[in-house]
Amino acid sequence: MKQADIILTAMYFPVFKLFETYLSKESYSAHLSCIQRIQNPFDGKLLIERLKSILTKNSNDEINRLNQTFELVGFHQYSKDPMAMVSVYCHVELEQSFWRRSYYRLSRLNPEAIFADQQTQNMDILRLREHLEDFRKELESLFELQWSTIDQFIVRISNSIQQWLWCIPAPVKGLPMESVSDLCRMAASISACLLQHTDQISILVGDISGIQRYIFDIAASGQKGIARRLRARSMYVALLSEAMSQMITNHFHISPLNVIMSSGGKFYILVPGGEEINDKLDRLQEKLDTWMIANTNGELIINLGWFHFEKDQIRDGDFILEKLNESLLLGKSRPLSGTLIHNQTWYEEKWIIQENKEHGRCIICKKFKIHEKDKSMCRFCYRDHQIGRKLLTARFIAFYHKSHVSGDIEFLDGISVTFHDELPQQNEQTYVVWAFQTVEDKAMIVNLPLLNKMISNHVPWNGNEVLSFDEIAERSKGTKQLGFLKADVDNLGIIMTFGLKKNDKKLRLSVISSLSFMLDMFFSGWLSEQLKIYFPNIYTVFSGGDDLYIIGPWEEITKFSIVLKNSFYKHVCNHPDITISAGLTFAHPKSPIHYQTELTENELENAKEIPSIENNTSRNQVSIFNTSLSWERFALLLEETDKLLNWWQMKKISSSILYRLSSFANDYISYRNGEIGPTYLPWISYMIKQNISRQDTELFQWVSQFIDSKYIDSQEMNPLAYIPVQVKLLQMFKKEEFDNDGRSKIPQ
């Protein structure tokens, strides 16, 4: 039996049993007949025989290995009384128990479906059959096509399985924390490993380092086209991760399905073998180091880590990842050593990049010699220019290996990438084709290895080209500035390693993979849809895995931060241990991108490390103007700022009063710290008496709260402490008018 036949059988067996259990007899028989008619790229009758032989006593070695596979993944029979798929987030426990259960509705995978809002665990059997009937029809449409290779067929069928079965719980031992699609992928990857090595499996992680520095290190940030180049560099990193994981699967003669996790510049691959493949892995790292220096000048680095384990340990996923991360950290401590070290000494020649003084340096990055095809840019910036131009209209990205077709981007070992506005032509060397969210479902019924790829690549454009940052800033209210928002999930490593493990029970890798996949769906799929529909002026630098970085009109970015927080908590079922932190900054559109990114990163670090003045804990916060705030406080401040702006525009309150309140806020903080007495109280009382009319009830109550006696000698925070943040936000609307409304500005 060929390896591809084994992989197909392992991947399809859970689907086969699912149909057998829940479809009507007529539909199930029709499906078997459809498979039996297939002669190419596999023998359908033999596939049916193999599927029926699994979990039975059989002397066939291949079937016995498949039986081992399904024993390792904990496969059981499907229940006649099906339960809905519970969100994987509901199983996380860190500081406190979480008993709430939320369930996914039956739906084809889409950005809105990833919010588990069903409260009952029972699954409607009629709705399930209807869902599976639609899935069956899609499968049979694909079965009837003429395929170039069985590998392409497997990739395409795996995509349909993920699209339709992500929301149906797998019939495995323990809590239902993984889907049928997770089970299919894990079974396929384990079977591929056991076919080559009967006892040991290894897991390999690839981590791209230097991503942020690479994306933002563009010297000519004031030049036209900077927005397009940023987008191109972000996409290049995503393509690099995919291409290198493909290269590794080719290297070990395994399936793309062995890539069990991939997001945020990091991928995990199950490979066959144990200690005996160490030399092979070392040579692979050296090969990657050499290529990365030659093609990115070492600005990007791919570090590998690996861990070997006995096949029975596959159930102990948290232990495997812990050991794997230790290996990765060791590799990251010696970056590019495969090329820079020779015979245990520094290879000094490799440290020097030769410069072509005759033709000069690139006008964009100011670092490397100009490219032969372009007399002003280096080959790296020229590549960015080409990617940025093609991304404007691309709907598909095709990956090839050792193709005679010249690709738009060339990677290691003959892997290349091309961008397509329409479906690419069939080619035996096509490995995978990414289809963006804009591709309709009916366009996916073709004989290509298509994968629905959620990529958050939304950018504002005028129909012809991407808007420049100057043009984006012009769409701001008040001050024409850009807003910069960075956010990521708090303590994700701890959640994955410890949060999913209950009562010391072993945790399967597929459960961790499921959590990673759902987070990536939120940051890649949901975010792109939200920006396209509700925040079209926001530019996505990157978003995927567990973090994002976006740029847009300052007021829209501020409002979106609250939408992000609320939607994220809804996505994770309002779990108190799964939180998100963010950093916000504002700047002129001509400000250097790398500098502003560093400031925004500092704000994010503030949110994660510095408790707000009202809390004793960090994280689960947003930081703005170097001030950490709880998300609830920040939302309240934004609401109040709108109210203050309205009062100021109606001349009910002057900027002078607000600046004075800002100064008194500093006095209040000093008082809370025990440095001075409550000297701010009489000054505020006097200011109210002189400037605020009692007849304006709402304004009078708002100002009077700052002198409420309940905040004296109390741990409860006086809202006065947050006035400096609100004043700075007000300045963003009409700074010049706000600072010069006939009154002097009080220094802050």
Side-chain angles (χ1 to χ4, degrees):
M1 194 186 304
K2 295 179 180 179
Q3 176 175 279
D5 293 321
I6 290 284
I7 293 170
L8 175 60
T9 305
M11 178 186 72
Y12 207 74
F13 179 70
V15 180
F16 173 75
K17 300 302 287 185
L18 183 71
F19 283 171
E20 181 183 56
T21 305
Y22 298 120
L23 286 182
S24 66
K25 290 183 179 180
E26 294 78 9
S27 293
Y28 178 64
S29 297
H31 186 64
L32 295 185
S33 298
C34 178
I35 295 177
Q36 288 173 334
R37 290 194 297 269
I38 300 173
Q39 296 181 354
N40 185 49
F42 61 91
D43 188 319
K45 291 182 179 179
L46 290 179
L47 175 62
I48 295 296
E49 289 180 12
R50 291 194 297 270
L51 291 171
K52 290 183 176 181
S53 298
I54 295 175
L55 301 185
T56 63
K57 293 182 179 180
N58 195 297
S59 59
N60 184 290
D61 288 342
E62 284 80 9
I63 296 299
N64 286 334
R65 286 200 185 99
L66 287 170
N67 286 338
Q68 288 180 27
T69 295
F70 286 101
E71 181 181 350
L72 291 173
V73 297
F75 184 86
H76 275 199
Q77 296 298 328
Y78 289 95
S79 170
K80 295 294 183 181
D81 186 19
M83 293 176 58
M85 179 76 183
V86 67
S87 170
V88 67
Y89 303 117
C90 293
H91 296 285
V92 172
E93 287 187 6
L94 286 177
E95 296 181 358
Q96 48 194 307
S97 298
F98 187 73
W99 298 104
R100 187 184 306 122
R101 293 289 180 263
S102 297
Y103 302 87
Y104 294 111
R105 298 181 186 276
L106 284 172
S107 170
R108 185 166 185 165
L109 185 62
N110 66 79
E112 294 301 321
I114 62 173
F115 294 86
D117 57 0
Q118 181 174 308
Q119 300 306 311
T120 57
Q121 68 176 5
N122 297 322
M123 185 183 291
D124 186 330
I125 189 67
L126 295 179
R127 177 70 188 94
L128 174 61
R129 285 176 179 166
E130 181 182 308
H131 182 78
L132 294 179
E133 277 292 334
D134 291 339
F135 174 43
R136 178 182 71 87
K137 291 174 183 177
E138 178 173 300
L139 286 177
E140 293 173 5
S141 296
L142 294 170
F143 289 164
E144 293 171 357
L145 299 175
Q146 295 297 314
W147 292 88
S148 296
T149 69
I150 189 172
D151 293 320
Q152 291 182 354
F153 176 78
I154 288 173
V155 169
R156 180 60 188 87
I157 295 300
S158 72
N159 182 71
S160 287
I161 289 173
Q162 184 178 69
Q163 292 294 302
W164 290 95
L165 305 186
W166 71 276
C167 56
I168 298 177
V172 295
K173 297 176 183 178
L175 295 172
M177 293 192 285
E178 58 208 284
S179 67
V180 174
S181 64
D182 295 325
L183 176 64
C184 290
R185 190 177 197 93
M186 189 59 65
S189 60
I190 292 174
S191 66
C193 292
L194 294 182
L195 191 63
Q196 296 186 38
H197 199 293
T198 58
D199 297 317
Q200 287 190 308
I201 300 175
S202 297
I203 186 169
L204 183 149
V205 59
D207 180 81
I208 303 177
S209 299
I211 294 176
Q212 182 165 300
R213 182 181 66 249
Y214 168 77
I215 291 176
F216 301 109
D217 191 14
I218 301 177
S221 57
Q223 290 191 4
K224 184 175 177 61
I226 181 67
R228 181 186 294 181
R229 285 194 292 276
L230 281 176
R231 186 186 186 209
R233 290 191 168 205
S234 179
M235 176 58 73
Y236 181 77
V237 172
L239 297 176
L240 175 66
S241 179
E242 177 71 19
M244 293 309 165
S245 63
Q246 289 179 17
M247 184 272 289
I248 293 170
T249 57
N250 289 342
H251 199 69
F252 284 92
H253 307 290
I254 50 180
S255 164
L257 300 187
N258 281 66
V259 183
I260 58 172
M261 286 186 278
S262 180
S263 64
K266 204 169 187 178
F267 53 83
Y268 296 81
I269 308 175
L270 287 183
V271 298
E275 297 287 342
E276 72 278 4
I277 66 172
N278 280 342
D279 289 342
K280 190 174 185 178
L281 292 169
D282 287 332
R283 291 194 300 273
L284 185 59
Q285 180 69 76
E286 291 176 11
K287 191 174 184 178
L288 286 171
D289 290 346
T290 301
W291 192 89
M292 297 306 291
I293 288 179
N295 290 273
T296 72
N297 283 315
E299 291 189 327
L300 290 174
I301 301 170
I302 297 182
N303 298 293
L304 300 180
W306 54 83
F307 177 65
H308 315 297
F309 54 91
E310 298 297 321
K311 63 184 180 184
D312 291 338
Q313 289 182 288
I314 191 72
R315 304 182 184 95
D316 203 351
D318 50 335
F319 170 75
I320 290 172
L321 285 190
E322 182 181 351
K323 293 298 182 182
L324 184 63
N325 287 330
E326 290 176 5
S327 173
L328 178 61
L329 288 174
L330 180 62
K332 294 177 78 169
S333 68
R334 304 171 70 244
L336 300 174
S337 59
T339 294
L340 300 180
I341 296 177
H342 183 64
N343 292 331
Q344 298 185 343
T345 60
W346 293 117
Y347 195 1
E348 296 181 3
E349 292 181 9
K350 295 293 184 179
W351 288 78
I352 301 172
I353 298 174
Q354 299 297 324
E355 182 176 12
N356 188 335
K357 296 182 179 180
E358 180 180 350
H359 298 292
R361 295 185 183 182
C362 171
I363 65 169
I364 303 297
C365 66
K366 301 288 200 287
K367 292 186 291 188
F368 307 120
K369 64 182 181 180
I370 61 174
H371 185 42
E372 294 177 0
K373 294 183 179 180
D374 187 283
K375 301 304 180 183
S376 60
M377 292 183 282
C378 66
R379 64 189 179 105
F380 307 113
C381 291
Y382 179 76
R383 179 183 63 204
D384 296 340
H385 174 76
Q386 294 296 100
I387 295 174
R389 180 174 59 82
K390 291 178 180 293
L391 274 176
L392 286 175
T393 56
R395 298 168 67 233
F396 302 91
I397 298 179
F399 293 81
Y400 303 91
H401 54 114
K402 298 180 180 178
S403 173
H404 65 278
V405 179
S406 178
D408 294 321
I409 307 174
E410 303 290 335
F411 289 106
L412 189 58
D413 278 4
I415 293 176
S416 62
V417 170
T418 58
F419 298 87
H420 299 270
D421 303 343
E422 303 295 335
L423 276 167
Q425 293 183 350
Q426 189 180 34
N427 184 325
E428 287 189 4
Q429 301 304 319
T430 307
Y431 196 88
V432 166
V433 179
W434 284 356
F436 292 171
Q437 291 99 308
T438 54
V439 179
E440 297 179 356
D441 292 341
K442 62 182 179 181
M444 298 287 288
I445 308 300
V446 292
N447 53 352
L448 287 170
L450 290 176
L451 292 180
N452 289 91
K453 188 66 176 179
M454 294 293 180
I455 297 180
S456 190
N457 63 344
H458 173 78
V459 292
W461 70 318
N462 57 17
N464 296 312
E465 61 180 2
V466 177
L467 296 182
S468 68
F469 284 143
D470 287 295
E471 292 169 322
I472 294 174
E474 280 297 317
R475 301 190 176 194
S476 299
K477 290 185 179 180
T479 305
K480 304 306 179 184
Q481 291 199 12
L482 294 172
F484 299 77
L485 175 66
K486 291 196 76 175
D488 70 14
V489 179
D490 300 319
N491 299 319
L492 183 59
I494 296 175
I495 290 171
M496 285 190 162
T497 305
F498 303 107
L500 289 167
K501 191 169 185 176
K502 293 187 177 183
N503 302 322
D504 293 326
K505 292 183 178 179
K506 293 180 179 180
L507 182 67
R508 291 183 292 272
L509 280 172
S510 51
V511 177
I512 302 171
S513 173
S514 177
L515 177 65
S516 174
F517 173 74
M518 294 309 297
L519 284 173
D520 189 56
M521 275 295 300
F522 178 83
F523 284 100
S524 296
W526 172 87
L527 182 120
S528 186
E529 291 297 306
Q530 290 294 302
L531 297 187
K532 182 172 62 177
I533 298 172
Y534 302 110
F535 297 89
N537 296 320
I538 290 180
Y539 177 98
T540 310
V541 180
F542 60 76
S543 182
D546 69 326
D547 61 355
L548 64 82
Y549 184 30
I550 55 177
I551 302 171
W554 73 268
E555 188 197 24
E556 288 190 36
I557 284 287
T558 305
K559 290 181 177 179
F560 178 75
S561 67
I562 299 299
V563 174
L564 170 68
K565 172 260 179 183
N566 290 338
S567 299
F568 178 77
Y569 288 158
K570 179 183 177 184
H571 173 64
V572 300
C573 307
N574 294 306
H575 197 301
D577 288 336
I578 310 176
T579 60
I580 190 170
S581 294
L584 265 170
T585 64
F586 309 123
H588 190 277
K590 288 291 194 295
S591 296
I593 292 296
H594 61 87
Y595 173 71
Q596 198 60 36
T597 298
E598 185 177 334
L599 294 181
T600 311
E601 180 67 28
N602 290 340
E603 290 283 10
L604 177 57
E605 287 301 311
N606 282 346
K608 287 183 171 292
E609 302 300 333
I610 301 177
S612 68
I613 55 179
E614 62 182 329
N615 293 330
N616 295 322
T617 59
S618 55
R619 294 178 171 79
N620 191 21
Q621 301 182 129
V622 58
S623 180
I624 181 173
F625 305 128
N626 291 314
T627 304
S628 295
L629 301 166
S630 68
W631 282 108
E632 294 73 20
R633 177 63 65 179
F634 183 54
L636 181 61
L637 290 185
L638 292 181
E639 291 180 11
E640 284 197 351
T641 300
D642 288 340
K643 189 185 301 183
L644 287 173
L645 179 63
N646 183 54
W647 286 339
W648 175 76
Q649 290 173 337
M650 295 174 64
K651 300 190 182 302
K652 290 185 176 182
I653 190 170
S654 68
S655 59
S656 175
I657 290 176
L658 292 169
Y659 281 126
R660 289 165 68 186
L661 285 172
S662 183
S663 179
F664 294 143
N666 295 330
D667 293 339
Y668 168 71
I669 296 299
S670 297
Y671 162 68
R672 272 185 66 92
N673 293 335
E675 299 169 3
I676 61 175
T679 56
Y680 63 94
L681 290 174
W683 285 106
I684 295 178
S685 298
Y686 178 76
M687 184 186 68
I688 293 173
K689 183 177 180 180
Q690 294 294 315
N691 297 280
I692 307 298
S693 171
R694 286 181 175 272
Q695 294 181 349
D696 194 336
T697 307
E698 188 177 17
L699 175 58
F700 184 83
Q701 289 178 348
W702 180 80
V703 179
S704 297
Q705 69 178 323
F706 304 135
I707 56 174
D708 194 316
S709 59
K710 70 178 181 180
Y711 299 120
I712 301 175
D713 297 329
S714 170
Q715 292 299 314
E716 186 175 357
M717 185 63 60
N718 191 325
L720 178 65
Y722 305 103
I723 289 295
V725 172
Q726 290 177 292
V727 169
K728 290 175 183 177
L729 285 171
L730 283 169
Q731 286 179 312
M732 295 296 296
F733 284 98
K734 287 289 184 181
K735 186 177 189 331
E736 184 176 349
E737 295 178 23
F738 190 80
D739 289 347
N740 299 281
D741 66 347
R743 298 166 179 83
S744 62
K745 178 178 176 180
I746 306 297
Q748 299 177 57

